[in-house]
Amino acid sequence: MLSEWLVDIPEDFQDSWFGVLCPVGRRCIVVACKGKTKAFTRRNNYLGQFASCLPGGSKSSNYYSISGNRRRGLTILDCIWSDKTQMFYVLDLICWNSHSVNNCPTDLRHFLLLSKFQETPELSETTQQNAVPFMPLPFFNVENLASTMTTTYPAFPDEIDGVLFYHKNVFYVPEVTPLCLWAHLSDIPLLLSLDVNPDLLARERAQNPKARYYLDKPIYKKNITNESASSMMPEQEIGEYDTATDEVPLG
């Protein structure tokens, strides 16, 4: 789910949108299935493989039964990878344990994401079974944007890349959509006539005005095993599995 730049303010912006502060990092899709967890860029370039406590993400993952057949669960997350903290910050839930939620509205997907992570606290830890920690990024209602920009500090130590805005009632789509918008913190005063905490602005990285956010570069870090990309793409990973609704979340 990729954004357009926030230029014109939607009429229902105050009542029908969420916001989320995003750390500097690389936008990626994390796919857990067949006892392995793999990360791919938004252009489907292979990044790396590791074990996780996501359903289907390691050999110890629970099995999920479909039509009497026992198969490992399929889980798909929309994330930001941070080189600084060696962590995946989770933006969105696409599929959990072979149950597709891409046809659910944003507010429900976010509720389910938080619920699943509360049920699986080991995802936030670095262990042999969970080589890289995951942390859902907190959303806020846009009607609370003014107070968020002046008093709230992000839940991550990284530099701030900007703010993503999601419409509360949009389904997940694997493409650019006007119902997902992006703005840098330094743009907020001009676009929305709101003050931004100087400490927050100080944590925003220097921006290239011609560059989109997030770069697609391979991950070469101690916790992730890199293999040849060959022809392994998320669609091929998912293709051998049936979700609960027989739908494939990624196009």
Side-chain angles (χ1 to χ4, degrees):
M1 192 148 173
L2 301 175
S3 64
E4 294 185 356
W5 289 92
L6 177 61
V7 178
D8 298 318
I9 308 304
E11 293 182 359
D12 59 350
F13 195 57
Q14 289 290 323
D15 300 325
S16 301
W17 290 72
F18 289 126
V20 55
L21 285 169
C22 297
V24 171
R26 302 168 197 163
R27 188 72 172 270
C28 58
I29 294 292
V30 173
V31 181
C33 63
K34 294 192 291 186
K36 298 178 180 179
T37 306
K38 298 184 179 183
F40 301 84
T41 71
R42 58 195 178 101
R43 294 185 179 88
N44 284 353
N45 295 320
Y46 177 77
L47 291 177
Q49 174 184 302
F50 55 98
S52 77
C53 291
L54 293 169
S58 69
K59 293 181 180 179
S60 61
S61 297
N62 292 329
Y63 283 86
Y64 177 80
S65 178
I66 298 178
S67 302
N69 297 322
R70 294 179 66 81
R71 304 181 180 184
R72 290 193 181 277
L74 167 66
T75 300
I76 308 172
L77 303 176
D78 187 347
C79 301
I80 298 171
W81 165 255
S82 168
D83 284 323
K84 179 177 180 178
T85 59
Q86 293 284 279
M87 176 180 291
F88 284 104
Y89 295 104
V90 186
L91 283 169
D92 215 332
L93 174 63
I94 304 172
C95 185
W96 185 271
N97 198 20
S98 300
H99 290 277
S100 174
V101 297
N102 61 308
N103 285 338
C104 297
T106 305
D107 52 358
L108 179 55
R109 293 198 312 275
H110 186 61
F111 171 79
L112 292 173
L113 173 65
L114 295 180
S115 298
K116 295 304 181 182
F117 269 74
Q118 289 174 356
E119 296 170 1
T120 321
E122 55 269 27
L123 284 169
S124 64
E125 304 171 353
T126 302
T127 63
Q128 185 176 359
Q129 293 75 30
N130 195 71
V132 183
F134 292 80
M135 187 187 83
L137 288 171
F139 279 44
F140 58 86
N141 291 309
V142 167
E143 62 184 358
N144 300 323
L145 179 61
S147 60
T148 300
M149 291 294 99
T150 56
T151 63
T152 299
Y153 291 85
F156 49 82
D158 308 73
E159 289 181 296
I160 300 170
D161 207 2
V163 188
L164 269 176
F165 296 102
Y166 290 86
H167 196 282
K168 294 180 179 180
N169 296 318
V170 65
F171 294 165
Y172 189 95
V173 291
E175 58 191 23
V176 176
T177 170
L179 295 177
C180 182
L181 301 172
W182 172 260
H184 296 309
L185 286 180
S186 51
D187 296 332
I188 297 296
L190 178 63
L191 290 170
L192 300 169
S193 301
L194 296 175
D195 294 327
V196 178
N197 190 324
D199 291 335
L200 287 181
L201 286 175
R203 289 183 56 182
E204 183 178 41
R205 71 169 176 177
Q207 300 293 340
N208 178 351
K210 295 183 180 180
R212 289 290 298 175
Y213 64 107
Y214 308 126
L215 300 176
D216 293 329
K217 299 186 294 183
I219 295 176
Y220 295 105
K221 293 298 176 180
K222 59 183 179 181
N223 288 331
I224 296 183
T225 302
N226 291 276
E227 301 175 347
S228 172
S230 63
S231 60
M232 187 68 71
M233 293 291 109
E235 291 90 339
Q236 293 168 313
E237 286 287 293
I238 297 167
E240 300 180 17
Y241 290 80
D242 297 323
T243 64
T245 56
D246 293 323
E247 296 172 352
V248 176
L250 299 179

